Amino acid sequence: CESRRWRYGGALHAREVGASGARAKVSLSAFALLFSELVQHCQSCVFLVAELQVHLAALGRQVGAHVLDALVASEKGAQRETKVLGALLLVKGAMWKAFGKEANKLEQANDDACTFYIIGRQPLINTYISVPKEDSRFNCAGFTAGIVEAMLTHSGFPAKVTARWHKDTTLMIKFEEAVIA
Amino acid sequence: MSRPAHRRPEYHKINKDLFVLTYGALVAQLCKDYEKDEDVNKYLDKMGYGIGTRLVEDFLARSCVGRCHSYSEITDIIAQVAFKMYLGITPSVTCNNSSRNEFSLILDKNPLVEFVEELPAGRSSLCYCNLLCGIIRGALEMVHLAADVTFLQDRLKGDSVTEIGITFLKKLDEKKYRRKK
């Protein structure tokens, strides 16, 4: 794992960055089609909708573990966040923007200091997915939840992240008690 | 109130690292699901085919390329327009035979392998980017061109370059069109 991380660091420094300092981009349609195939593959491996969500989240965690390095290098000048709020703002801002636009809101639960909510539209993940009525609880944003969970955990703030439907996509982030205490 | 003439629609783009890492997670998952490299390669090709059949419509709508009159023109468009549009690279094209139906795309840079140092142990026959072969094959089939698309050389396997070979077979449904006249 360590040698792979070194490789990521080397690759990032050698990367070409645009004149405005913007990260390289690919077309949304290419990602949307890749994601669609990914979901179809996961569907073929599971029997229940709940398992599909778990499978997608596991894939998201794989992505999140590595995308953290890429985002930190490009957005924060390779300086990791050392505060919980900073890490959450990185997720709400840079990570959500990787899908198109920053998230709308970051809120803390009234009754639980360890629980936060990030609310925002995710046109990339959910726009091109049609969910049948009988599976209406299924949310492809489970993939995003996996990414966020890995990003926070690898930043040193272990948490469990789940995706819910509530107007827009809502991610519920529950940190371990030691993180907030 | 009049709309500006010839205004090109804006096409949404997303962070390339996210795309590349999602692809990596997909390949890693397929390696877990299938023991043999041939099966992973075949599945990647099949997924790519599914993507290519839909991506070609997006490509034709955005690129406005005209009708092509030779296989060489088609290969040039794949290299200089399609690859540029979706991956931001321009492979070079060489023709491999005198009947001008076998071509090679030489990729100097391949963004899909940006975070890959080497193939996993025991996976020496894995064609990591076989999705690309499926995409090209699927896209060509949608415009009634049958082709065999394979990796001829791969940097990840120790070769000096990454080379994709396209062999155009006879046009699909040629007899059907002739009869309709």
Side-chain angles (χ1 to χ4, degrees):
Chain A
C1 187
E2 280 308 313
S3 63
R4 283 181 76 192
R5 278 184 171 257
W6 176 87
R7 163 71 181 169
Y8 298 142
L12 288 166
H13 289 306
R15 179 119 10 117
E16 288 169 19
V17 176
S20 62
R23 300 302 305 149
K25 293 188 183 280
V26 296
S27 86
L28 178 145
S29 42
F31 185 93
L33 289 170
L34 177 69
F35 187 70
S36 149
E37 289 294 327
L38 193 131
V39 172
Q40 285 179 61
H41 173 71
C42 292
Q43 260 184 316
S44 67
C45 298
V46 301
F47 294 107
L48 302 170
V49 168
E51 285 176 17
L52 178 55
Q53 198 128 343
V54 165
H55 211 65
L56 274 181
L59 281 168
R61 280 194 289 276
Q62 276 193 49
V63 174
H66 304 310
V67 91
L68 171 66
D69 285 339
L71 286 177
V72 163
S74 66
E75 304 286 330
K76 298 282 170 188
Q79 292 205 1
R80 289 282 184 98
E81 289 294 335
T82 53
K83 296 199 166 36
V84 171
L85 191 58
L88 284 170
L89 287 171
L90 181 70
V91 167
K92 174 192 178 259
M95 189 242 110
W96 218 273
K97 214 155 113 186
F99 288 109
K101 222 171 94 171
E102 274 197 29
N104 296 342
K105 291 186 215 168
L106 167 64
E107 292 174 353
Q108 189 171 21
N110 288 335
D111 49 356
D112 182 5
C114 293
T115 301
F116 290 80
Y117 298 96
I118 293 184
I119 299 149
R121 288 202 63 211
Q122 269 206 321
L124 176 57
I125 294 291
N126 282 325
T127 299
Y128 301 105
I129 308 279
S130 315
V131 180
K133 238 181 183 175
E134 58 269 20
D135 297 328
S136 57
R137 284 169 301 125
F138 172 63
N139 190 341
C140 281
F143 180 72
T144 322
I147 295 180
V148 172
E149 186 173 310
M151 279 182 68
L152 292 170
T153 306
H154 284 256
S155 296
F157 309 112
K160 287 267 167 269
V161 184
T162 46
R164 286 143 190 249
W165 288 113
H166 179 68
K167 295 178 191 176
D168 293 324
T169 299
T170 301
L171 294 187
M172 184 174 96
I173 302 163
K174 183 141 175 78
F175 288 106
E176 285 181 13
E177 282 202 26
V179 171
I180 303 291
Chain B
M1 292 293 286
S2 63
R3 209 174 278 177
H6 305 297
R7 189 178 167 189
R8 289 178 82 182
E10 285 175 23
Y11 294 107
H12 295 292
K13 296 215 176 236
I14 62 141
N15 185 299
K16 187 162 87 169
D17 294 333
L18 192 61
F19 177 79
V20 170
L21 290 167
T22 303
Y23 182 69
L26 173 65
V27 177
Q29 185 61 43
L30 289 178
C31 287
K32 277 190 208 153
D33 295 339
Y34 297 102
E35 270 189 39
K36 293 189 189 162
D37 293 346
E38 294 76 36
D39 293 335
V40 178
N41 293 340
K42 216 165 72 179
Y43 201 86
L44 277 173
D45 185 80
K46 189 175 138 205
M47 279 180 133
Y49 179 84
I51 292 176
T53 54
R54 289 174 286 166
L55 196 68
V56 70
E57 286 182 28
D58 179 76
F59 171 71
L60 291 172
R62 287 166 60 180
S63 63
C64 306
V65 291
R67 196 183 176 86
C68 293
H69 298 97
S70 67
Y71 292 139
S72 150
E73 238 179 281
I74 293 166
T75 316
D76 284 337
I77 284 179
I78 293 174
Q80 289 161 16
V81 186
F83 266 87
K84 181 82 187 160
M85 191 184 283
Y86 293 109
L87 291 178
I89 55 170
T90 314
S92 49
V93 178
T94 56
C95 182
N96 293 344
N97 69 347
S98 54
S99 28
R100 302 196 68 78
N101 71 326
E102 282 180 27
F103 297 86
S104 287
L105 301 173
I106 315 282
L107 280 69
D108 283 329
K109 281 195 307 181
N110 185 356
L112 288 181
V113 305
E114 221 162 286
F115 295 119
V116 181
E117 193 172 323
E118 58 187 10
L119 291 176
R123 291 282 183 187
S124 52
S125 311
L126 177 68
C127 291
Y128 185 84
C129 299
N130 218 32
L131 196 88
L132 293 177
C133 294
I135 291 177
I136 295 172
R137 187 170 65 86
L140 287 172
E141 202 165 299
M142 282 295 111
V143 293
H144 305 292
L145 290 166
D148 270 336
V149 189
T150 50
F151 270 92
L152 299 176
Q153 294 191 78
D154 194 346
R155 269 215 179 103
L156 286 179
K157 291 181 182 167
D159 298 317
S160 50
V161 291
T162 300
E163 184 182 347
I164 299 177
I166 306 177
T167 304
F168 289 95
L169 309 170
K170 69 173 176 119
K171 245 186 162 185
L172 289 175
D173 292 330
E174 215 175 287
K175 282 187 185 169
K176 197 170 146 186
Y177 288 145
R178 274 205 203 131
R179 260 187 248 134
K180 278 186 177 171
K181 281 183 191 167

